[in-house]
């Protein structure tokens, strides 16, 4: 992790760090941070994460270096936890190679290199430790392990929406590894009870809903038809992690006869057939389930600001990585040296791409320029670059980018406001 991400330590605050760290008054005191347990102006109910921001601010103020160091440490912790989980469920060899590829893969750049996004990893740490303790509880039958797992799950609910899926992961674990009778699943009921209680608190008591009211595709149906294409792009990025950017765009699928709907759906059907055919292969069954369960919060069941983002695929990427490692080990099961040699090549290749992509997160200017190069129709990239030029008093360039931002997305209200400010200034 440190080899792959060491060069982010000199980076500035970028992307949405200004909004959530630099210019966020409620993290500048614990009293204001604690208030986030009953209210949140961003429609993102993650009060534990807000407390973490406040704690970091007390120690680091606005020095970006320790925030980036903390990002690397948290990503390292996730990688180590994944090693122990896979080792416990399967074997040391699969665990080691999978965890180390996860640690260095460039698709995680937008989650680790961006200080704001890295704070969401806090919720995943609660998620993974809770899951690991549950596995130990099922092995050792010690109630203390169950209580600790449940407690961490409850805290995690207040840190990230990704934790919502843990009860489903527990059901998957029971199905694959224990095949219990129906009554055995009752052990997981407390997790569902606390999840429902949390959702009632958030949506009906505090009235904190989803971040946006409109689906990214303009409707639920178009967004839903585009999801198979999104899943296909995520999987392809594991094998071909090029052109990585937080400004990733996607052309929406508006018909079931679109090739980008048909092919991914056929792929899913083939996967389901393979799962049925090789239903005794626990790695295939478990990590196929892991893929869909960990992606569930990002499938736009409730509308999200974006339909696709590399940081959404952080935990789900493990499923594809594990199956790649499993395939390599199977192909060269009689020659361990070939497996090790191939894995070393993978690690060098992915780590090099990670170090390379970290360089685009040095500051907002470089990040937004790169975004426009890869996606000229990114309204947000043009608006962000306009803001940069405006602060530099380069008003001509600022106005051009604000105008371009509106041309590419007429609903970009921030660009309209910025254009108004630009006209006032000029």
């Amino acid at each position: 992790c440190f080899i792959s991400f060491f060069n982010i330590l000199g980076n500035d605050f970028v992307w949405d760090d200004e909004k959530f760290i630099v210019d966020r008054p409620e993290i500048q005191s614990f009293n204001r941070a604690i208030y986030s347990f009953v209210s949140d102006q961003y429609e993102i109910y993650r009060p534990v994460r807000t407390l973490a921001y406040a704690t970091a601010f007390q120690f680091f103020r606005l020095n970006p270096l320790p925030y980036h160091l903390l990002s690397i440490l948290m990503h390292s912790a996730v990688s180590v936890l994944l090693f122990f989980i896979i080792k416990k469920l399967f074997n040391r060899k699969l665990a080691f190679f999978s965890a180390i590829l996860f640690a260095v893969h460039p698709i995680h750049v937008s989650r680790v290199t961006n200080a704001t996004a890295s704070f969401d990893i806090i919720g995943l740490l609660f998620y993974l430790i809770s899951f690991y303790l549950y596995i130990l509880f099922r092995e050792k039958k010690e109630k203390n392990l169950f209580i600790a797992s449940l407690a961490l799950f409850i805290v995690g609910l207040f840190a990230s929406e990704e934790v919502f899926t843990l009860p489903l992961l527990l059901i998957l674990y029971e199905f694959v590894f224990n095949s219990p009778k129906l009554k055995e699943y009752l052990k997981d009921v407390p997790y569902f009870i606390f999840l429902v209680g949390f959702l009632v608190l958030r949506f009906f008591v505090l009235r904190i809903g989803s971040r946006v009211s409109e689906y990214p595709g303009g409707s639920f149906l178009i967004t839903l038809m585009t999801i198979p294409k999104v899943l296909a792009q995520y999987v392809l990025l594991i094998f071909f992690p090029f052109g990585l950017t937080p400004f990733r765009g996607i052309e929406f699928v508006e018909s079931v006869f679109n090739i980008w709907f048909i092919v991914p759906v056929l792929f899913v059907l083939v996967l389901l057939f393979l799962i049925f055919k090789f239903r005794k292969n626990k790695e295939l069954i478990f990590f196929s389930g892991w893929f869909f369960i960990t992606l569930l919060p990002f499938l736009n069941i409730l509308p999200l600001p974006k339909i696709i983002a590399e940081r959404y695929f952080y935990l789900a990427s493990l499923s594809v990585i594990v199956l790649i490692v499993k395939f390599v080990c199977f192909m060269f099961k009689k020659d361990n040296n070939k497996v090790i040699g191939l894995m070393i090549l993978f690690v060098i290749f992915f780590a090099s791409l990670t170090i390379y992509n970290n360089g685009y997160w040095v500051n907002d200017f470089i990040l937004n320029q790169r975004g426009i190069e890869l996606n000229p129709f990114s309204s947000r990239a043009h608006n962000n670059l306009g803001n940069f030029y405006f602060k530099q008093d380069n008003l001509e360039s600022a106005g051009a980018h604000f105008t371009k931002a509106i041309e590419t997305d007429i609903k970009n209200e921030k660009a309209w406001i910025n254009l108004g400010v630009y006209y006032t200034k000029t």
Side-chain angles (χ1 to χ4, degrees), residues 128-138 145 148-149 152:
L128 295 173
I129 297 172
S130 176
F131 180 51
Y132 186 68
L133 290 176
Y134 182 86
I135 296 171
L136 293 180
F137 157 70
R138 292 294 281 133
L145 292 170
S149 171
L152 288 172

Side-chain angles (χ1 to χ4, degrees), residues 226-245:
T226 309
I227 291 297
K229 181 179 180 180
V230 170
L231 298 180
Q233 288 207 11
Y234 281 144
V235 173
L236 287 173
L237 283 173
I238 295 295
F239 294 94
F240 309 102
F242 304 107
L244 300 176
T245 175

Side-chain angles (χ1 to χ4, degrees), residues 42-61:
Y42 303 104
E43 294 295 313
I44 307 173
Y45 188 58
R46 302 171 191 169
V48 168
R49 189 184 74 160
T50 304
L51 275 178
Y53 280 133
T55 304
F57 183 83
Q58 298 306 310
F59 286 100
F60 310 143
R61 295 298 170 177

